[in-house]
Amino acid sequence: MMRTPEEIEQRLAEIEAEREEIAGQDFNAEMRQATINGGDLEAIEARQADAERREKRLTIEAEALADILPDARREAAQPQIDAIRQQEHERQEKTRKAAEKARKAAAALTAAMEEFTGTCNAEDLRVQMGQLAREIDANLEPVRDMSHRDLASALEGVRAQLGPWIAVATPRGGMRHGDPATTDLGTAP
């Protein structure tokens, strides 16, 4: 029967205490004293043999418990692992949808910027106004610049975020951001 990690750790602590108690017994000193005082050497030898058997059994039990402790920890953590896997699945689906939305937004931004770029070029109007000014020999108000400060500011904000966003979207970037697909829970401590 599999024990809980706490039960195994408690038993390992008890074994360690018992082994320290056994190691603290000085049977040779007891035998020397019994020889001097005329004590029962056979009883001391029997206690020593019993202590050695207990020490061996405790050592084997400790080794066996240490062997099953990782499995007990994994089994005890399985509900948490399952919950994380479920969250991972849900998050992957949300991430897929968000990535598609972001990809479409990037395509829309590209199209909008191409349209803006195509419409903001006023060089032909400047040339025409200049020719007209020369023809009528008059100073005409020049064709104004088509730049757009609010758009420039918004694009600067996007540009500042692009590097980190691209890093998150790549496999190595995902690892840095705790992407569950790059975390091997089977080898977690």
Side-chain angles (χ1 to χ4, degrees), residues 6-184:
E6 294 78 16
E7 291 171 336
I8 293 171
E9 289 166 353
Q10 180 180 348
R11 181 59 187 144
L12 284 170
E14 291 168 0
I15 289 171
E16 184 61 29
E18 288 181 52
R19 290 176 72 190
E20 287 177 10
E21 180 184 320
I22 291 170
Q25 296 176 351
D26 188 352
F27 291 106
N28 289 339
E30 286 184 41
M31 291 173 93
R32 278 193 302 275
Q33 194 62 40
T35 301
I36 294 169
N37 296 338
D40 187 355
L41 290 174
E42 286 185 19
I44 296 171
E45 287 175 341
R47 283 185 29 245
Q48 182 179 17
D50 183 53
E52 288 170 358
R53 280 192 300 274
R54 273 184 50 219
E55 167 65 26
K56 184 173 183 174
R57 281 194 312 265
L58 292 170
T59 299
I60 291 170
E61 183 183 359
E63 289 170 356
L65 290 174
D67 287 346
I68 66 169
L69 183 57
D71 290 335
R73 286 180 174 152
R74 260 190 292 283
E75 185 177 309
Q78 194 60 49
Q80 291 173 294
I81 292 170
D82 292 343
I84 291 170
R85 291 289 186 205
Q86 179 62 34
Q87 290 175 12
E88 171 192 12
H89 174 72
E90 292 167 2
R91 193 166 297 172
Q92 283 176 342
E93 185 59 25
K94 286 179 181 178
T95 299
R96 185 191 61 74
K97 288 177 182 177
E100 183 58 23
K101 185 177 178 181
R103 191 195 60 73
K104 287 178 181 178
L109 176 62
T110 299
M113 286 310 300
E114 287 172 357
E115 180 183 350
F116 174 76
T117 302
T119 62
C120 77
N121 185 349
E123 188 59 31
D124 61 328
L125 299 178
R126 284 189 190 95
V127 168
Q128 290 175 36
M129 187 67 82
Q131 287 174 347
L132 186 58
R134 281 190 298 279
E135 286 176 16
I136 64 171
D137 193 25
N139 285 333
L140 300 177
E141 186 177 329
V143 172
R144 282 181 266 149
D145 187 6
M146 301 288 174
S147 66
H148 196 277
R149 291 190 200 290
D150 290 341
L151 175 60
S153 177
L155 289 174
E156 180 58 33
V158 170
R159 187 186 68 78
Q161 287 295 323
L162 279 177
W165 288 343
I166 290 169
V168 169
T170 61
R172 293 189 77 78
M175 251 188 336
R176 283 193 302 276
H177 289 280
D179 181 357
T182 62
T183 303
D184 184 0

